[in-house]
Amino acid sequence: MAQRKGNLMTVRDDIKVVDATLRDGGLCNDFRFTEEFVRTLYKANIKCGVDYMEFGYKADPDLFDEADYGPWKFCREEDIRHIVGENISDMKIAVMADVGRCNFRRDFLPKSESVIDMVRVACYIHQIPSAIEMIEHFHTLGYETACNIMAVTQAGGGQIDEALAMLAESSVDVIYLVDSYGALYPENASTLAQTYLAAAERVGKKVGFHAHNNQNLAFANTIDTLSRGVSYLDTTVQGIGRGAGNCATELLLGFLKNPKYNLYSLLTFIERYMIPLRESGVVWGYDLQYMFTGQLNRHPREAMAFTAEGRGDYCEFYKELLDVE
């Protein structure tokens, strides 16, 4: 296995912390965060040294009823500017565009007219050609770009290699390894990270990692892939995110040795906003049903339904999953 990049005392200037609280966390409450929540999180992220804040999705309102969601499902320019103004800070603004779920030619302004800095294109591995079409469009508009390839733990090695080769020839800036099902362990997360890095670094691109916490390994996998050379690291405050959630921002900021990162403003935000959010009934985080789907390398939709139904018959649910296998 390749030598680790840096050590526990090292400051790496290539590291970028990407806060995905509104985007992945929005999947827990249909993006219905209060304006106060969003504005305070924005200010806290700046004070904590976070490098990018992802505000949500650029979903197509022709496909999704706006009455069913809060504004961060659609991330209109005026809504973001209402929070950040001209964003006179060092932190950059990101949004996510799903292949097949956005109108990317209609709904994105040229970068010169937008406060958004980066567009992250999310796709499944069979959608790489469509993702590249979007990436080239956003690159032409002047945005930084990333490609988040979802569910790679169910893809064959040949598919991954081919997808990485295609992205290496594109204009994308960052290629993301995404553990959609929370199925990875540090050993195979590291192996995959090195595959991504080998493809990306030869053409001057960066690699990112997006973890899910189905097996309580989101933080472990994040710092292990970091140690191999991955530099863009997704986190959410208190790990809020779909199902079992993500790598917790507070864990990563506490781990990184760069003095630009600090915890104080984030802890205050947790006290004042995240704890009340959980107490209000918004549900996320590790539980047995998510462990099952992570161990079985399955989409968590069945575990999410188990949670929504208030079930507690874990043994029966596990048998149901095995019967499907």
Side-chain angles (χ1 to χ4, degrees):
M1 193 168 277
Q3 185 177 1
R4 295 183 186 272
K5 187 173 181 180
N7 57 52
L8 288 174
M9 296 299 293
T10 303
V11 171
R12 275 178 45 200
D13 292 332
D14 62 313
I15 295 298
K16 305 295 181 187
V17 176
V18 181
D19 170 62
T21 299
L22 297 181
R23 202 272 308 164
D24 215 320
L27 297 168
C28 301
N29 69 345
D30 294 326
F31 306 89
R32 297 186 188 280
F33 298 104
T34 66
E35 180 181 319
E36 180 184 350
F37 182 103
V38 176
R39 181 172 281 109
T40 308
L41 176 61
Y42 168 72
K43 293 177 179 178
N45 278 333
I46 292 171
K47 291 178 180 177
C48 290
V50 167
D51 299 284
Y52 289 79
M53 179 174 172
E54 187 175 50
F55 268 70
Y57 286 98
K58 268 280 196 181
D60 185 351
D62 292 338
L63 299 178
F64 298 91
D65 189 340
E66 294 181 71
D68 293 336
Y69 302 95
W72 311 113
K73 176 76 170 179
F74 306 97
C75 283
R76 287 187 167 82
E77 185 75 22
E78 58 268 28
D79 291 327
I80 299 176
R81 285 186 180 272
H82 183 65
I83 301 296
V84 310
E86 292 295 324
N87 186 33
I88 50 173
S89 75
D90 292 332
M91 185 176 71
K92 294 183 177 182
I93 304 301
V95 296
M96 181 165 281
D98 275 352
V99 169
R101 297 184 177 185
C102 67
N103 190 327
F104 66 95
R105 297 195 184 278
R106 180 193 66 194
D107 291 339
F108 283 84
L109 299 169
K111 168 60 192 128
S112 60
E113 301 171 24
S114 175
V115 75
I116 297 167
D117 299 287
M118 172 182 274
V119 182
R120 308 210 299 173
V121 176
C123 68
Y124 292 102
I125 203 156
H126 67 277
Q127 297 172 320
I128 288 291
S130 297
I132 290 175
E133 179 188 23
M134 292 171 64
I135 287 162
E136 297 303 338
H137 178 72
F138 296 136
H139 177 74
T140 300
L141 291 179
Y143 293 101
E144 297 176 36
T145 57
C147 184
N148 291 36
I149 314 173
M150 300 181 290
V152 292
T153 53
Q154 289 194 338
Q159 285 181 302
I160 293 172
D161 290 341
E162 186 173 357
L164 293 175
M166 293 169 71
L167 286 169
E169 298 304 315
S170 77
S171 299
V172 76
D173 299 297
V174 188
I175 304 171
Y176 260 86
L177 168 58
V178 181
D179 184 13
S180 300
Y181 301 159
L184 291 176
Y185 299 94
E187 183 177 22
N188 53 0
S190 289
T191 300
L192 275 170
Q194 289 172 90
T195 298
Y196 277 58
L197 287 160
E201 288 182 340
R202 67 178 179 81
V203 287
K205 302 183 187 303
K206 299 293 186 182
V207 173
F209 183 67
H210 180 89
H212 278 267
N213 204 38
N214 296 61
Q215 301 185 79
N216 266 333
L217 289 171
F219 176 54
N221 288 337
T222 297
I223 62 175
D224 210 88
T225 56
L226 175 162
S227 77
R228 300 298 174 185
V230 169
S231 49
Y232 280 66
L233 307 171
D234 281 17
T235 67
T236 61
V237 181
Q238 290 216 294
I240 186 173
R242 184 201 66 191
N246 307 102
C247 176
T249 307
E250 57 271 22
L251 283 171
L252 186 62
L253 294 188
F255 170 82
L256 294 171
K257 299 303 182 286
N258 192 328
K260 72 171 281 192
Y261 301 119
N262 70 83
L263 278 173
Y264 292 107
S265 295
L266 187 65
L267 296 177
T268 300
F269 180 81
I270 289 170
E271 291 173 14
R272 295 180 180 174
Y273 294 94
M274 296 304 296
I275 293 173
L277 186 69
R278 193 185 287 275
E279 290 174 345
S280 75
V282 178
V283 178
W284 74 90
Y286 167 81
D287 206 339
L288 286 172
Q289 63 269 32
Y290 296 116
M291 180 192 80
F292 300 153
T293 57
Q295 289 177 342
L296 296 171
N297 192 18
R298 297 253 297 262
H299 193 288
R301 62 175 62 89
E302 293 151 303
M304 292 164 67
F306 178 97
T307 305
E309 293 163 12
R311 291 175 61 181
D313 54 335
Y314 296 106
C315 188
E316 184 61 31
F317 179 61
Y318 188 49
K319 289 191 291 184
E320 290 172 10
L321 293 175
L322 292 176
D323 286 342
V324 175
E325 291 285 301

